[in-house]
Amino acid sequence: MTRWTNPEWLERLRGEGPAADEAARELRRILRGSLKKSIGFRPGVDDERIDDFVQDACLQIMTSLERFRGDSQFTTWAIAIAIRVSFSEMRRARWRDVSLDHLTESAGTDTLADSAAESPENAPISAEDSETRRVILSELQDVIARELTDRQRFLISGELSGVPQAELCARLGINRNALHKLGHDARQKLKKRLIERGISVEEIRGAFSLADGS
Amino acid sequence: MKLSTHQYRTLAEVLLKTKPDEITCDEWLDQVAVFAEQIAASRPIPAELQPLVDHVNICPECAEELDALVAALHATE
């Protein structure tokens, strides 16, 4: 699949004239073929849409050449960017007109009781695990209510509702790195509280019927 | 903010996988090509790529993109 070595790709794409044009055409051909094979079967993805993805991906690739580390095939790196661009656009298209107001609604007073009474994944758990889950839910709700910011609450709720990161970034007006940091800080606070309460990993797994690898 | 039991379960699962040092989605994208080539070739994942493994365990979107990238590499073999 790779027609040129990595340095040849970079030299051609950074250059001008027929060699650069040929490399750009070859890159578009490779990206088009790869996207057709990897996402072309998805609903709403036709040749025209793939051409749009390829065009947007090429723009991003050309402005990101210095980020290529050289430890893989250049084309693999370029396909990875094309896939990121494609998925981001597909995810955003699905959620663009969906209201996310419910993510900022405050919890009802019965949320904790309902949550503690239900059995996740319909798995039977012991009375001890059920009590542990009640404690965990109480602690998590307390941290969420008292220690997280509005933006962190919106992010956590959005992620758990399946809202794509690109859409959350757009609604919060931040980039994906900043979104990750926002979420990571929130997760660290939540995890810290559970550790401070002396709740072990095994107890969390038991309370939510999680597999050992979780 | 109202979460269902299933969402709390997912949150608990993610918290178990949360580490102090995590790479971001953009850092993951910078390194995923070599990671995907290892997977597509059924080669063992080197220790230095473990942060990428950890990342796909907590980021379903990057996991979905990795699957698509590996599929693209398999299709061009």
Side-chain angles (χ1 to χ4, degrees), chain B residues 3 6-7 9 11 16 19-21 23-24 31-32 34 37-38 40-43 48 52 67 69-70 75 77:
Chain B
L3 300 177
H6 178 76
Q7 287 174 317
R9 182 178 190 269
L11 178 58
L16 289 179
K19 298 188 174 181
D21 296 315
I23 59 172
T24 66
Q31 304 172 61
V32 69
V34 65
E37 287 176 350
Q38 296 288 324
S42 299
R43 288 194 293 261
E48 63 265 26
L52 281 83
D67 287 343
L69 179 56
V70 172
E77 284 174 350

Side-chain angles (χ1 to χ4, degrees), chain B residues 18-75:
Chain B
T18 295
K19 298 188 174 181
D21 296 315
E22 294 177 359
I23 59 172
T24 66
C25 296
D26 285 344
E27 290 167 336
W28 180 87
L29 181 61
D30 284 341
Q31 304 172 61
V32 69
V34 65
F35 182 38
E37 287 176 350
Q38 296 288 324
I39 295 171
S42 299
R43 288 194 293 261
I45 306 301
E48 63 265 26
L49 296 182
Q50 186 58 40
L52 281 83
V53 178
D54 295 340
H55 184 78
V56 292
N57 282 334
I58 60 160
C59 182
E61 293 187 16
C62 285
E64 185 178 37
E65 292 169 23
L66 176 63
D67 287 343
L69 179 56
V70 172
L73 295 180
H74 279 312

Side-chain angles (χ1 to χ4, degrees), chain A residues 160 187 191, chain B residues 9-18 22 57-58:
Chain A
L160 292 172
R187 285 186 281 115
K191 187 170 188 175
Chain B
R9 182 178 190 269
T10 303
L11 178 58
E13 192 168 18
V14 171
L15 293 182
L16 289 179
K17 295 171 179 170
T18 295
E22 294 177 359
N57 282 334
I58 60 160

Side-chain angles (χ1 to χ4, degrees), chain A residues 1-6 9-10 13 23 26-31 34 61 68 70 72-83, chain B residues 33-34 37 69 72-73 76:
Chain A
M1 168 170 140
T2 302
R3 185 169 172 181
W4 298 298
T5 63
N6 289 344
W9 269 110
L10 294 174
L13 289 173
E26 179 67 358
L27 181 61
R28 284 196 296 272
R29 185 189 69 77
I30 290 170
L31 296 183
S34 296
I61 290 165
F68 175 55
S72 68
Q73 296 287 335
F74 172 79
T75 48
T76 306
W77 175 78
I79 295 167
I81 291 177
I83 287 173
Chain B
V34 65
E37 287 176 350
L69 179 56
L73 295 180
T76 54

Side-chain angles (χ1 to χ4, degrees), chain A residues 122-133:
Chain A
N122 298 317
I125 60 171
S126 66
E128 187 181 349
D129 284 340
S130 181
E131 172 59 17
T132 304
R133 189 170 69 212

Side-chain angles (χ1 to χ4, degrees), chain A residues 67 84 105 118 165 184, chain B residues 1 5 19 30 61 65:
Chain A
R67 294 181 72 103
R84 165 67 55 88
E105 290 171 0
E118 295 170 21
Q165 293 186 12
H184 186 240
Chain B
M1 175 171 150
T5 306
K19 298 188 174 181
D30 284 341
E61 293 187 16
E65 292 169 23

